[in-house]
Amino acid sequence: MKKTLILIASCLLLGMGNTAKAEENVTIGKQNIKVEGGRMTPEALWAMGRISAYCASPDGQKIVYQVGYYSVKHNKSHHVLYVMNADGTGQQLLTTSSKNETDPAWLPDGRISFITGGEIWAMKADGTDRQQLSKTEGGVEGFKFSPDAKKVIILKSLPFHEVIMKNPEDLPKATGRLVTDLMYRHWDHYVESIQHPFVFTVGDGFAISTTGTDILEGEPYECPMEPFGGIEQLDWSKDSKQIAYTCRKKTGLEYSISTDSDIFLYDVETKTTRNLCKPADYVAPKVDPTITLKVQAVNSPENLKNNVGYDQNPLFSPDGKYVAWLSMERDGYEADLNRLCICDLATGEKQYVDWKSDVDAFCWSDTKDALLYFISVWNATENLYAVTTLPSKGKGKVNPQSPYQVVQLTDFWHDFGSLQMMNNGCQLLVERHSYTMPADLYVFTPDMKAAKKATFPAGQLLQLTHENDHILSQLDKPTCQQRWVDTSDGKKMLVWLILPPNFDETKKYPTLLFCEGGPQSPVSQFWSYRWNFMIMASQGYVIVAPNRHGLPGFGQEWKEEISGDWTGQCMSDYLAAIDDAANNLPWVDRDHLGAVGASFGGFSVYYLAGIHEKRFKCFIAHDGAFNLAAMYTETEENWFSNWEYDEAYWHRPQMPNAKKTYHDSPHKMVENWDTPILCIHGEKDYRINYTQGMSAFNAARMKGIEAQFLVFPDENHWVLKPQNGILWQRTYFNWLDRWLKK
C-alpha cells in the first residue's frame, strides 16, 4: 500500500499521474475564482494551480517550471510551462496552445527542451523559435540529455507479453487477457507494455536521430520501475560515457514477492553493463513465495551485504568519482529505512550515511562545506539536511564506520517536497508546502556555520512563486498545533491538531480522527487535493491527526512496530489520540466525533467500527482493506502482504503474527458494527481491489446500518479527474454534516 515517490533529477517531476491530455480546442489556464465567506470549497481547491517539474538554468539565472490547471467543466487538465528570473521576478507563461507542455530541461545553448505531443521540442527562454527535436511517432515518455549534449536518453514503451499472452491476430476485437504469471497488473493498469530507456545521438541544433540503442535490448525488464518511476531513475556520468540506471531484473512470481532492485552502470561505447549493487557471480537464494522474506536466507546477515532491498534513483557526483542512490537493506520490505548510499566507482566500495530516518530526496553539492543535501522527516516535518565530512560542533551525528555526518539546516513546521542543486551547490532550489499552503518554489541559501551551531534556519529562504495567492488571499486560514499524547505502551505520540478558521475556544466543534495510510507514510505537513486538512477545518471541523506507531520520523523501531500488528498498538494509539482530545480539550464536541481515512487508514476505519464502543457517530473509509485473507491474493505486490502478515492464510499451523492478522480482519468484526459508514473505492484500484469496499458496504446494509458506497469505475487508489474530485468532496462533507452537525 505504501509507495514512496522520490524523484531526483536535473529537473524534478512532482505529482506524477496527473498529466491527462487536454482537448485540442480547450485551453485551461489560471482561474480567477471568487470565494464567498472566506471558506475553502472543493471548487476553490480544484481551481488551484499545481506546480510540478522545475529546474534552474546552468548559469543559475533563470528557472523554468511546470504548472497543471484543471477544468471542472471540461473534466480536463492542462499542463503549461513558465519561466522566471532566479529571484522570482519576470514570470512569463511560455505555453500558448491547448497542448500539454511538460518535463522542462535546459539545453547548453540556453534554450528550454520539453515534451509536447509525445515528442521533444526546444524553444528559446522567451518561448519563441520552437523546434521539434525528436521524431518517434509520439513515443517519448521522458528524456535526459547527456552533459556534452551529444546524446539523449529517451524513455519509450514496448509491447510486453511475458505474463499476458498476445491475442490471436484473427481476433482483433477480442478483449480477453490470457494471464500466465503474477505481476500482470500494476496500480491501475494491466502490464501489456514496459518502458525501456534508449540512447539517441544528437546532431546540429540538437536534432535527435530517428533510431536509438535500447539499453535493455532483449531483456524483459522495465526501466524505470513500475508504478511510479520516471527519468529520475537514470543519470548520465559527467563525461557522458556511462549511464547509471535502476532496474528490478525479475518477472512474474519472482517479481511479485521481491523488492530487490539494483543500480546498473551501462557503458555507452562498449554497450556493456555491470551491477553496482551485487558481485557478478551473485546467485539469489531460493525463497518460499508464501512466507515473509524476513525469515528467509535472502535476508541473512551475510546476504544483506549484496544490497537485496530497494536501490533506486542514482546520481553521479559533480567530480564523477561517485554515484549516490537511495537504498533499503532488506528484500521484501518496502518500508525499510531509506538510506543514502555512496559508491566509489573506482573501488566499488559502498558506504551509507548514518541517519535516523528515511532520506526522501537528495542532491549533490559542489562546495567544500557540504557533500550532499537531502530531505527527511523527523517529528512529523520534512526538513533540509546536509551531509558533510567536516567535524561537527552541533547536532551532527558521527558513525565511526562512516566518514559522513549529518547536520540539520531547517526546522520549519512545513514540508520540503523536493530539491535540486543550484549555482554549483551554493543554493538549493526547493518545493515547499504545508497544511495551509500548496506547493510553491523557493531558493534556500545554506549557512553551514549556523548549521553546525544548530541555529535554525541555517540559511536564507526566498519564496519565488506565489501560484495560488489570488485564491489563498480570499481564504481564512486554519491554525495548527502540536500535542504530545501518552500511548498505552508508555511512550509519547505527536498529534497534529488543525483548528477551524476564526477558531473560538469557547465553542464546541465536531471533530475528525484522521487515520493515515501506508501503513508507514508520515503524517507530516502535507498538502493534498483530496485529504486536505485546510478544507476540512474550513467546513467547521477540528482534525486530530496522530503520528501513531508505524509512521516514519520517530526512529526505525517506532516505524516497524506496526508490521504484523495492524490491530494492536496502532489502534490503541488512535483511541488514545481521540480520547485525549475529547477528554482534555473543551472545544472538542465529544458527542460528535467521526473517523476518516484511506488505504491503511480505510482499513483502520473498518477495524475501529468494530471496537470503538460508541465513540464515533460516523465513519468514512476510502480504498481500505476489509478482508485481509482476500487481499492477500488480490493485491498485485505480494511482497507487501507477505511482510505485513508473515505468511499465506492457508498455512497450518500459522506463525503468531499471521494468526493474529487473519483473526482480527475487519470483516470478522462486522457483528459489532453499529454506526453509519460511507465506503469509497475506485474500480481501477489494483493495490486494494474495489471488492473490498463493496463488501464492507454490503455487510453494513445487510446489518441494517446506514451506509453509502461511492464507487468510481475510472479511478484508481486516488481520485484524479476534476468532476470525480468534486463529487468526492461533496459526498464526503454531506456525509459528515449529516451525522456530526445535527
Side-chain angles (χ1 to χ4, degrees):
M1 278 180 278
K2 174 180 177 286
K3 180 61 67 177
T4 305
L5 178 58
I6 305 162
L7 302 176
I8 309 114
S10 60
C11 292
L12 299 166
L13 306 180
L14 311 174
M16 298 285 287
N18 291 333
T19 55
K21 293 182 179 179
E23 290 179 352
E24 291 296 311
N25 59 348
V26 176
T27 300
I28 303 165
K30 201 163 190 173
Q31 301 177 48
N32 294 313
I33 189 171
K34 185 175 182 181
V35 181
E36 300 292 342
R39 187 174 75 164
M40 171 78 90
T41 63
E43 290 75 15
L45 191 64
W46 277 88
M48 291 183 175
R50 307 182 190 186
I51 293 177
S52 51
Y54 59 88
C55 57
S57 59
D59 62 7
Q61 297 303 300
K62 290 186 178 294
I63 296 166
V64 61
Y65 64 99
Q66 178 181 329
V67 183
Y69 297 113
Y70 290 76
S71 167
V72 174
K73 177 181 178 181
H74 297 288
N75 207 32
K76 296 286 184 180
S77 64
H78 185 208
H79 293 259
V80 303
L81 300 180
Y82 287 90
V83 70
M84 62 183 171
N85 297 323
D87 61 0
T89 62
Q91 185 186 86
Q92 178 187 352
L93 175 64
L94 299 178
T95 302
T96 58
S97 75
S98 60
K99 291 184 178 180
N100 285 325
E101 296 183 347
T102 65
D103 303 67
W106 291 91
L107 294 172
D109 63 1
R111 289 189 295 167
I112 297 168
S113 58
F114 60 99
I115 296 176
T116 186
E119 300 291 356
I120 303 172
W121 285 65
M123 60 183 166
K124 289 184 177 179
D126 63 1
T128 61
D129 291 343
R130 291 169 175 256
Q131 175 191 0
Q132 183 175 337
L133 303 182
S134 68
K135 295 181 180 180
T136 66
E137 298 182 354
V140 177
E141 296 169 344
F143 71 96
K144 183 177 286 189
F145 282 93
S146 59
D148 65 8
K150 294 180 180 179
K151 306 175 193 70
V152 62
I153 298 169
I154 291 180
L155 303 181
K156 295 172 60 179
S157 286
L158 302 174
F160 180 71
H161 297 290
E162 289 285 325
V163 294
I164 300 177
M165 299 297 291
K166 184 178 181 181
N167 283 339
E169 296 290 344
D170 63 335
L171 301 176
K173 295 184 179 180
T175 59
R177 293 181 173 98
L178 179 58
V179 178
T180 61
D181 207 343
L182 296 186
M183 222 61 239
Y184 54 90
R185 300 201 298 189
H186 255 304
W187 195 254
D188 62 0
H189 61 277
Y190 283 84
V191 181
E192 296 174 291
S193 65
I194 56 174
Q195 279 189 332
H196 272 198
F198 291 75
V199 177
F200 288 77
T201 58
V202 177
D204 295 339
F206 296 93
I208 298 171
S209 61
T210 56
T211 59
T213 301
D214 184 353
I215 291 177
L216 294 174
E217 178 69 39
E219 297 187 62
Y221 313 118
E222 65 198 20
C223 177
M225 296 190 304
E226 291 263 37
F228 302 122
I231 197 64
E232 78 286 346
Q233 293 195 349
L234 302 97
D235 194 39
W236 282 100
S237 62
K238 301 310 171 185
D239 61 6
S240 301
K241 293 181 179 180
Q242 295 179 310
I243 296 169
Y245 69 89
T246 309
C247 191
R248 184 193 287 112
K249 297 203 171 183
K250 302 175 186 290
T251 61
L253 173 63
E254 187 182 15
Y255 186 133
S256 78
I257 61 172
S258 173
T259 59
D260 184 7
S261 60
D262 293 322
I263 305 301
F264 295 88
L265 197 62
Y266 175 81
D267 189 294
V268 176
E269 296 178 352
T270 65
K271 298 179 179 160
T272 56
T273 301
R274 69 183 175 103
N275 191 330
L276 295 181
C277 293
K278 295 178 173 64
D281 59 353
Y282 176 77
V283 177
K286 291 186 179 300
V287 300
D288 183 335
T290 65
I291 297 177
T292 175
L293 296 186
K294 74 180 77 166
V295 299
Q296 300 196 53
V298 69
N299 282 319
S300 67
E302 184 63 27
N303 202 52
L304 289 179
K305 299 175 184 178
N306 295 308
N307 289 69
V308 297
Y310 265 127
D311 292 278
Q312 56 185 327
N313 300 356
L315 281 178
F316 284 90
S317 61
D319 61 10
K321 296 180 180 180
Y322 302 90
V323 173
W325 66 79
L326 298 176
S327 176
M328 294 187 185
E329 185 177 39
R330 290 167 285 182
D331 192 5
Y333 188 27
E334 66 170 5
D336 207 351
L337 181 67
N338 216 20
R339 308 168 299 171
L340 190 51
C341 176
I342 300 174
C343 178
D344 186 321
L345 289 173
T347 66
E349 180 184 9
K350 296 186 287 290
Q351 292 181 311
Y352 301 88
V353 176
D354 181 37
W355 181 236
K356 59 191 175 183
S357 192
D358 295 325
V359 175
D360 292 327
F362 74 97
C363 68
W364 286 94
S365 172
D366 200 14
T367 69
K368 62 182 179 65
D369 292 331
L371 186 66
L372 298 117
Y373 298 106
F374 69 86
I375 297 168
S376 180
V377 61
W378 188 251
N379 281 352
T381 54
E382 295 265 8
N383 275 290
L384 294 173
Y385 298 84
V387 178
T388 177
T389 57
L390 300 177
S392 173
K393 299 179 182 179
K395 294 185 177 180
K397 182 180 178 184
V398 179
N399 181 348
Q401 305 301 318
S402 171
Y404 309 118
Q405 55 189 302
V406 173
V407 291
Q408 187 169 348
L409 297 176
T410 63
D411 191 24
F412 294 118
W413 275 17
H414 294 88
D415 278 2
F416 290 95
S418 56
L419 79 169
Q420 68 171 251
M421 184 173 67
M422 184 172 168
N423 290 330
N424 296 322
C426 297
Q427 293 180 308
L428 293 172
L429 181 57
V430 298
E431 177 268 310
R432 187 183 184 214
H433 56 268
S434 73
Y435 290 150
T436 60
M437 182 181 71
D440 268 309
L441 298 182
Y442 294 74
V443 166
F444 182 74
T445 305
D447 182 344
M448 294 303 295
K449 291 182 179 179
K452 291 168 185 176
K453 296 178 181 178
T455 302
F456 304 125
Q460 295 182 335
L461 188 69
L462 172 66
Q463 184 170 355
L464 302 180
T465 63
H466 300 264
E467 175 59 36
N468 294 298
D469 277 10
H470 63 296
I471 297 175
L472 295 172
S473 63
Q474 302 179 62
L475 302 175
D476 297 325
K477 279 194 174 183
T479 54
C480 184
Q481 299 178 1
Q482 279 187 351
R483 185 173 179 86
W484 290 88
V485 175
D486 293 328
T487 59
S488 61
D489 63 346
K491 298 177 182 178
K492 296 284 188 181
M493 171 176 58
L494 189 153
V495 178
W496 291 109
L497 299 173
I498 300 90
L499 311 180
N502 306 309
F503 178 72
D504 184 347
E505 63 182 13
T506 66
K507 295 181 179 180
K508 286 189 177 292
Y509 292 87
T511 299
L512 305 177
L513 173 68
F514 172 74
C515 303
E516 175 63 302
Q520 289 149 309
S521 299
V523 182
S524 56
Q525 284 279 330
F526 64 82
W527 175 271
S528 169
Y529 284 92
R530 283 160 297 282
W531 294 91
N532 185 283
F533 288 168
M534 184 170 177
I535 193 172
M536 294 181 201
S538 295
Q539 303 301 313
Y541 292 97
V542 168
I543 298 98
V544 176
N547 278 270
R548 50 148 177 87
H549 282 71
L551 300 189
F554 302 91
Q556 194 67 7
E557 180 182 354
W558 178 277
K559 186 172 80 167
E560 292 195 7
E561 284 179 340
I562 197 170
S563 292
D565 187 28
W566 282 17
T567 59
Q569 188 58 53
C570 66
M571 294 299 165
S572 297
D573 290 350
Y574 283 137
L575 296 179
I578 198 64
D579 286 349
D580 171 75
N583 295 332
N584 299 310
L585 302 176
W587 27 268
V588 168
D589 186 348
R590 61 180 304 146
D591 295 323
H592 292 88
L593 305 177
V596 301
S599 197
F600 179 83
F603 163 86
S604 301
V605 168
Y606 289 143
Y607 186 77
L608 290 172
I611 67 165
H612 72 110
E613 297 180 333
K614 308 290 186 182
R615 284 177 174 86
F616 299 105
K617 287 293 187 292
C618 73
F619 296 104
I620 300 179
H622 178 115
D623 286 355
F626 174 67
N627 183 331
L628 296 185
M631 184 178 161
Y632 181 83
T633 49
E634 285 181 351
T635 191
E636 86 275 42
E637 294 182 344
N638 296 99
W639 66 75
F640 175 82
S641 297
N642 268 344
W643 193 278
E644 295 300 313
Y645 306 172
D646 271 3
E647 61 182 326
Y649 63 82
W650 57 82
H651 283 185
R652 298 292 184 273
Q654 288 182 332
M655 288 185 268
N657 282 346
K659 186 174 181 180
K660 180 180 186 296
T661 295
Y662 295 120
H663 178 272
D664 291 350
S665 178
H667 80 286
K668 294 186 176 181
M669 310 288 288
V670 173
E671 63 186 64
N672 298 328
W673 283 19
D674 58 6
T675 303
I677 187 167
L678 168 62
C679 307
I680 308 173
H681 226 107
E683 287 190 19
K684 294 182 73 175
D685 183 355
Y686 300 152
R687 186 64 46 87
I688 302 177
N689 280 243
Y690 81 96
T691 50
Q692 297 275 319
M694 182 175 66
S695 296
F697 167 74
N698 290 354
R701 289 303 300 130
M702 291 176 74
K703 276 213 70 184
I705 295 170
E706 289 277 1
Q708 291 181 353
F709 183 36
L710 177 59
V711 60
F712 294 100
D714 55 347
E715 299 286 7
N716 57 35
H717 205 57
W718 300 320
V719 178
L720 302 177
K721 296 178 174 62
Q723 292 193 15
N724 284 342
I726 297 290
L727 177 61
W728 189 97
Q729 296 281 3
R730 290 179 183 175
T731 305
Y732 180 91
F733 288 114
N734 286 342
W735 185 256
L736 293 178
D737 292 351
R738 176 180 173 185
W739 301 107
L740 301 184
K741 289 188 176 180
K742 291 183 179 179

